[in-house]
Amino acid sequence: MEQNSVFAMALEQLNSAAKLLKLDPNTLRVLSHPERELTVAVPVVMDDGRIEVFEGHRVQHSSARGPCKGGIRFHQDVTLDEVKALAMWMTWKCAVVNIPYGGAKGGVRVDPTKLSKREVRHLTRRYTVAIMPIIGPHSDIPAPDVNTSSETMGYIMDTVSMIKGRTVLDIVTGKAVDLGGSLGRREATGRGVMFNTLELLKRLNKSPEKCTVAVQGFGNVGSVSADLLQKEGCKVVAVSDVSGAYYKPDGLPIADMIEYCNTSKNHLLEGFSAPGVSKINKDELFELDVDVLVPAALEKQIHEKNADKIKAFAIVEGANGPTTPEAEKILTDKGKYVVPDILANSGGVVVSYFEWVQSIQSFFWSEDEVNANLKRVIVSSFANVWDLAQKGKYTLREAATMLAVQRVAKAIEARGIWP
Ligand code: NAD
């Protein structure tokens, strides 16, 4: 595999699913190429008067099943290669849960923690205008991802609305509820991680009350996953963010930790303390003697060098692409279960779809309705993936990718290649 290429990793996963499916090589060729890649320069007048130019991307992998859908990431390590991989995974994610979207992703190479609030706002607005030619409520709908939030989505929605001269609610999802966002969207990805974990435990005849959990990443996905798994009875013994890892063998005070992050600098756990909570090395979190490990930070966190040290029997991928193919082989050879990202963290895009539907109709659902519909989608998608995996002796990733690729392939074949 091409060293360090995340897209090569995504292609490898596609190729192995295609092989198992005996997919038509013509269709595979189409699926191997993103439909559109846009790279933009994003100049921003900084607070000190300097002009800084940031590089941004928006990639649309496939629109075969519907408008493209995918988050926007602000991170210093964003590359076109990474955005391409994330866009492809979005296509599979929307297909595995059977919602009528294709896949896209966007990103700006910037460390937003080093920018002022005004600089981030200007960066977001300028990036939005730069990608406006290819986004739209019926072509490509952005959402939050790493280091972006409902606030960022508000800036995007406002920018598009100002330029169009009318309120465009359905241009983004993950908006604040006050701006037409959906109840339950903020928690949706973590809630989906929780539902997937419970479905797996049920299949393995294990009760949540007897399970210990470690979570890497304490942002949107990690913190909500930790909180909801704890509420379901699991003992969350370790969590981490860029500031370090925090450990308490009889269970961390997750609610207090979330409250702390609501007001801490850059929403980090840095400086958090409570009785019985100790700080451990970030890498140690992966090696803890826990039952469930939820990587919810970035790609390639579980790799050849640490996979062998993982004791958890289940890895539920809150993040996108946290496990390299080499690491997954080590884990599955040891009989461990990896609930793949495209299924495990699909809760976010499922409720984004609900939000889009509500925005188009300007008719809003109760939080209970949102959560019940999310549960229905995740439970049935998990069952489809699990059953296929059992039947064909596939890994959960192989089964999920096969289901997804087959659905997209069928759409491509039914439409034919234009003209
Ligand atoms: P976020 O910015 O809210 O949180 C990211 C967290 O990861 C932060 O706590 C950060 O400190 C931590 N982190 C980063 N590097 C780390 C490291 N090396 N060790 C420990 N912690 C580290 O982002 P998010 O929205 O929670 O996204 C996390 C992952 O989930 C990403 O892979 C993203 O693509 C994926 N995802 C997000 C959503 C969503 O709805 N937000 C949906 C699906 C998938």
Side-chain angles (χ1 to χ4, degrees):
M1 194 168 76
E2 207 180 311
Q3 197 94 61
N4 293 327
S5 166
V6 193
F7 187 61
M9 174 173 146
L11 273 179
E12 192 174 324
Q13 293 164 349
L14 165 63
N15 286 330
S16 50
K19 207 163 147 192
L20 293 169
L21 285 168
K22 299 190 177 52
L23 191 72
D24 177 351
N26 288 304
T27 309
L28 176 59
R29 222 166 288 130
V30 175
L31 290 173
S32 302
H33 295 85
E35 283 175 12
R36 195 174 277 119
E37 299 170 20
L38 176 64
T39 294
V40 296
V42 187
V44 178
V45 180
M46 308 300 279
D47 290 344
D48 62 5
R50 249 176 340 111
I51 297 174
E52 195 71 70
V53 182
F54 301 94
E55 187 175 81
H57 308 282
R58 184 75 186 169
V59 174
Q60 297 166 348
H61 171 256
S62 170
S63 59
R65 285 171 40 90
C68 297
K69 186 87 189 80
I72 287 173
R73 171 178 295 197
F74 290 168
H75 195 275
Q76 59 276 17
D77 296 334
V78 162
T79 59
L80 180 60
D81 174 87
E82 178 190 55
V83 179
K84 279 165 65 178
L86 291 162
M88 182 184 274
W89 287 326
M90 281 308 298
T91 303
W92 311 146
K93 194 178 300 181
C94 295
V96 83
V97 289
N98 214 357
I99 56 175
Y101 280 144
K105 203 79 180 193
V108 180
R109 192 173 174 86
V110 59
D111 179 354
T113 63
K114 300 219 160 75
L115 268 56
S116 70
K117 234 179 139 159
R118 185 204 63 81
E119 289 167 342
V120 171
R121 194 175 68 244
H122 283 213
L123 172 92
T124 308
R125 288 185 178 282
R126 183 65 191 238
Y127 169 69
T128 304
V129 169
I131 64 167
M132 254 185 83
I134 67 165
I135 60 168
H138 298 287
S139 52
D140 181 358
I141 308 119
D145 192 72
V146 173
N147 290 331
T148 57
S149 62
S150 58
E151 196 172 45
T152 328
M153 296 307 111
Y155 299 150
I156 297 178
M157 185 214 130
D158 183 65
T159 302
V160 173
S161 299
M162 286 300 116
I163 287 170
K164 295 278 181 195
R166 63 187 168 84
T167 297
V168 189
L169 274 190
D170 43 7
I171 181 68
V172 284
T173 59
K175 306 180 284 291
V177 173
D178 291 335
L179 265 188
S182 177
L183 293 167
R185 172 60 185 91
R186 192 185 63 77
E187 301 84 1
T189 310
R191 190 174 294 279
V193 168
M194 178 270 283
F195 287 144
N196 272 288
T197 309
L198 295 191
E199 288 307 299
L200 178 69
L201 295 180
K202 217 187 289 170
R203 302 289 189 299
L204 303 177
N205 288 323
K206 294 190 189 275
S207 86
E209 289 79 15
K210 295 212 174 98
C211 285
T212 51
V213 179
V215 181
Q216 185 206 30
F218 204 66
N220 175 290
V221 181
S223 67
V224 177
S225 301
D227 187 41
L228 296 181
L229 283 167
Q230 191 175 65
K231 286 181 174 141
E232 291 298 324
C234 297
K235 201 184 282 173
V236 181
V237 299
V239 301
S240 67
D241 66 12
V242 286
S243 75
Y246 303 77
Y247 177 59
K248 189 177 178 200
D250 57 353
L252 286 163
I254 298 297
D256 295 346
M257 298 174 99
I258 291 176
E259 204 179 310
Y260 183 85
C261 290
N262 284 340
T263 53
S264 65
K265 188 160 182 263
N266 295 323
H267 303 294
L268 290 178
L269 284 163
E270 181 89 82
F272 177 84
S273 68
V277 177
S278 55
K279 225 171 155 182
I280 56 169
N281 188 294
K282 275 195 282 181
D283 296 336
E284 265 179 79
L285 179 133
F286 288 109
E287 301 166 19
L288 291 172
D289 191 5
V290 291
D291 299 306
V292 179
L293 177 63
V294 179
L298 293 168
E299 300 94 64
K300 295 192 170 189
Q301 299 299 301
I302 302 175
H303 42 73
E304 265 172 307
K305 295 203 175 78
N306 63 6
D308 203 32
K309 298 182 187 143
I310 290 176
K311 299 192 183 70
F313 67 77
I315 293 90
V316 184
E317 295 186 331
N320 286 308
T323 315
T324 65
E326 297 79 8
E328 181 153 8
K329 185 160 184 337
I330 296 171
L331 295 168
T332 46
D333 283 352
K334 289 169 93 177
K336 297 181 188 297
Y337 293 87
V338 180
V339 184
D341 45 9
I342 57 172
L343 176 65
N345 70 35
S346 62
V349 79
V350 171
V351 176
S352 272
Y353 166 57
F354 298 160
E355 178 177 334
W356 182 69
V357 169
Q358 294 170 76
S359 290
I360 289 173
Q361 298 186 334
S362 282
F363 180 76
F364 296 91
W365 310 355
S366 70
E367 190 163 358
D368 286 349
E369 258 175 299
V370 170
N371 290 344
N373 277 305
L374 171 62
K375 185 171 180 182
R376 178 179 54 78
V377 172
I378 300 287
V379 167
S380 76
S381 304
F382 186 95
N384 291 339
V385 170
W386 179 267
D387 293 349
L388 178 62
Q390 294 292 304
K391 206 166 125 200
K393 299 206 172 354
Y394 304 124
T395 66
L396 292 173
R397 187 180 321 276
E398 283 167 346
T401 313
M402 285 167 76
L403 267 178
V405 169
Q406 194 161 41
R407 285 182 179 150
V408 183
K410 275 189 179 159
I412 291 173
E413 283 156 15
R415 289 169 72 136
I417 298 297
W418 196 88

